[in-house]
Amino acid sequence: MEKIDILLATYNGSKYLSEQIDSLINQTYKNINIIVRDDGSTDNTVEIIEEYEKKDSRVRLLSDNLGNLGFVRNFEELMKNSTSEYLMFSDQDDIWYNNKVETSYKRIKAIEEKNGKSCPILVHTNSKIMNYETRTKSLFISDCAKNSSFENSFFNFFVQGSTMLINGSLKREALPFSKEVYLHDRYLHLIAEFIGIRSYIDVPTMDYRQHSNNEIGSSVNVIDKIKNKRYFNLKDRELLIFLDNTYSAKLDEIKKEKMDAYKLIVNNNISRFKRLKICNKKKIPMNIKKKIFLIIK
């Protein structure tokens, strides 16, 4: 069994942290490291991690003088300190099912056998949202993730960071993060789409805890969502264009054509109806709500 590093980013997570670390150390796949970097917690998060260090040699807390970096750069530092060829990403308040690591590892190894380890690969799964007010669970990712076309990723977000497993080739492509990186999981997802392979396992492998302290939640105030709604994210456009410039020489003609269409669709200097026409003609996946916002905003 090959070593897999689980990268755990923490910040004031003492309320749920023990439950999550327990779910990590109890995985059926045992050859893991749990590398933790705390982003300046003011509660007893660090003390909890140090207790687990004493109990399990696989748990290691990083020490540096970098201070509070925010969750994206926190994960970048964790990636820099990883030495394994396989990496997974953990939030501090989820609960992993005990076969999560094993399930994703089997899939990534099967892909590497066909494509080689030099191919950047990302494997991700579904998850279940835990609503602690209603005590219910629902699936996090829609059927959109089943569409493996390159252009499906332009306007759709369906790779959840805490469900990802990546290989060393993808890690080396990603580091260091450029200034355009605003979400680590979106960045890694898009690199895999541009020059590698994304593989989706349509089963939940963890419970995602939904509460007000999530960095990125699955629910948003409806009024605020309507007020701020766009058919594309400005930061995401910058990231996609950055990756297009970085990997243009490696793209096949089909991907180049789709990226050219994307850049026209998000160009506000072109009439809205022309942008919509390009979207339909080039068969760029965009749901009906986003098409409506394209026309009216």
Side-chain angles (χ1 to χ4, degrees), residues 62-74:
L62 297 181
S63 297
D64 57 45
N65 298 312
L66 299 176
N68 183 280
L69 299 176
F71 75 101
V72 174
R73 300 297 164 176
N74 195 1

Side-chain angles (χ1 to χ4, degrees), residues 3-128:
K3 183 75 73 175
I4 297 174
D5 285 346
I6 300 175
L7 310 183
L8 173 57
T10 62
Y11 178 72
N12 288 344
S14 61
K15 186 175 181 180
Y16 305 115
L17 182 59
S18 292
E19 192 172 11
Q20 170 63 331
I21 296 180
D22 284 341
S23 77
L24 301 183
I25 63 178
N26 289 319
Q27 289 292 303
T28 57
Y29 192 97
K30 301 299 183 183
N31 196 14
I32 59 173
N33 290 321
I34 302 168
I35 307 174
V36 192
R37 184 183 182 278
D38 186 73
D39 210 25
S41 292
T42 56
D43 62 3
N44 65 327
T45 291
V46 172
E47 287 80 359
I48 292 171
I49 299 165
E50 289 173 340
E51 284 300 311
Y52 274 95
E53 275 190 303
K54 296 174 184 177
K55 293 188 294 184
D56 195 315
S57 61
R58 298 174 299 174
V59 179
R60 177 166 66 94
L61 176 65
L62 297 181
S63 297
D64 57 45
N65 298 312
L66 299 176
N68 183 280
L69 299 176
F71 75 101
V72 174
R73 300 297 164 176
N74 195 1
F75 275 116
E76 180 185 19
E77 284 303 312
L78 283 162
M79 288 177 67
K80 289 178 179 177
N81 281 274
S82 169
T83 58
S84 297
E85 277 297 297
Y86 301 96
L87 286 69
M88 300 185 80
F89 302 80
S90 173
D91 294 331
Q92 63 189 0
D93 48 9
D94 300 327
I95 300 174
W96 286 20
Y97 302 165
N98 66 357
N99 64 341
K100 182 179 189 299
V101 175
E102 185 176 3
T103 298
S104 294
Y105 176 72
K106 286 180 178 177
R107 173 65 63 87
I108 205 167
K109 289 302 293 181
I111 297 170
E112 284 186 337
E113 285 179 9
K114 292 182 179 180
N115 299 275
K117 287 193 172 186
S118 62
C119 176
I121 302 169
L122 181 151
V123 170
H124 68 117
T125 73
N126 210 331
S127 67
K128 286 188 177 180

Side-chain angles (χ1 to χ4, degrees), residues 150-152 154-155 231-232 237 240-241 244 251 253-268 270-272 274-286 294:
F150 172 62
E151 61 272 17
N152 182 47
F154 292 165
F155 297 103
Y231 68 97
F232 71 91
R237 178 177 66 180
L240 272 155
I241 292 174
D244 182 44
L251 299 185
E253 291 304 315
I254 294 176
K255 287 186 177 182
K256 287 179 181 178
E257 179 184 348
K258 298 297 184 179
M259 267 306 301
D260 287 343
Y262 169 82
K263 286 182 283 188
L264 292 174
I265 296 167
V266 296
N267 185 342
N268 291 329
I270 298 175
S271 76
R272 295 169 181 174
K274 185 174 181 180
R275 280 178 269 160
L276 182 60
K277 184 178 179 180
I278 294 168
C279 183
N280 292 333
K281 182 179 180 180
K282 297 298 183 180
K283 298 181 180 180
I284 306 298
M286 182 189 292
L294 189 162

Side-chain angles (χ1 to χ4, degrees), residues 132-149:
Y132 275 78
E133 293 180 0
T134 61
R135 309 301 297 178
T136 58
K137 296 181 182 181
S138 57
L139 289 176
F140 187 91
I141 300 176
S142 70
D143 285 343
C144 184
K146 297 176 184 178
N147 183 342
S148 60
S149 68

Side-chain angles (χ1 to χ4, degrees), residues 206-218:
M206 55 168 269
D207 288 342
Y208 170 74
R209 196 186 302 267
Q210 181 62 42
H211 54 76
S212 59
N213 294 326
N214 290 128
E215 286 283 359
I216 299 173
S218 62

Side-chain angles (χ1 to χ4, degrees), residues 169-196:
S169 180
L170 180 49
K171 168 193 168 182
R172 287 182 283 275
E173 285 289 339
L175 291 175
F177 285 9
S178 70
K179 62 181 178 59
E180 288 83 6
V181 178
Y182 71 101
L183 294 173
H184 70 287
D185 47 5
R186 179 64 170 167
Y187 175 52
L188 294 168
H189 167 205
L190 290 175
I191 293 176
E193 297 284 5
F194 270 80
I195 60 167

